[in-house]
Amino acid sequence: MTRSLLTALIAALIVIGFALLGGTKTLGAHPFWSLNVALIGAPIGGLLALGLFVMTRWYWGPLVCSVILAAVAYGVAHFGKLRFAASYAEDAFAGQMWFFGWIATALFITLTLALALRPRG
C-alpha cells in the first residue's frame, strides 16, 4: 500500500511540476488558471489511482481508458478555448469547457502516469 501511495504522489507531483514550469500554459491553458487546474486535477487523479489500485488488479484496461479520457479532456479544453476566444470572452459555457477540460486533463494525465508507474507484485 505504501508503494501505491508513493506512486500516486509521484504522478501528481509530476503533473504539478509540469504546470509550475509553464507546460500547461504552453499547451493552451489560460495563463491565470494554468497552475490552478493542475493543483485541482492532480490530487483527484492520484486519489482515483489509489482507488483503482485497491479495487482491481487489471492493468491494461484502466490504462487504455485513462489515455483515451485524457485525450478527450484535452480536446474539450481546446475546443472550449477556441469557442471562448471566437466569442470575445462572452460565451460562458465555452469558458467552463476550457477550465474544466484542463482540470480533467490534469486528472487523467495523473491517473495515466500512476497506472503506468504502478507497482506490480
Side-chain angles (χ1 to χ4, degrees):
M1 182 64 182
T2 305
R3 287 175 44 191
S4 296
L5 182 62
L6 186 61
T7 302
L9 181 65
I10 288 171
L13 289 176
I14 288 171
V15 171
I16 292 170
F18 182 75
L20 273 171
L21 293 174
T24 53
K25 191 184 316 181
T26 302
L27 290 177
H30 191 281
F32 184 74
W33 294 108
S34 62
L35 177 61
N36 291 345
V37 294
L39 290 175
I40 295 169
I44 298 170
L47 289 174
L48 187 58
L50 283 176
L52 281 174
F53 291 165
V54 171
M55 288 175 42
T56 183
R57 294 210 178 265
W58 294 350
Y59 177 70
W60 291 107
L63 182 64
V64 170
C65 287
S66 173
V67 169
I68 291 169
L69 288 172
V72 168
Y74 181 75
V76 167
H78 184 71
F79 181 71
K81 179 180 89 166
L82 293 178
R83 260 184 65 182
F84 189 73
S87 72
Y88 296 102
E90 300 237 349
D91 189 351
F93 180 67
Q96 290 175 348
M97 285 174 58
W98 188 13
F99 179 68
F100 291 115
W102 267 104
I103 290 174
T105 301
L107 186 155
F108 288 117
I109 293 295
T110 302
L111 181 59
T112 300
L113 285 172
L115 289 171
L117 299 173
R118 180 180 185 170
R120 291 179 244 350

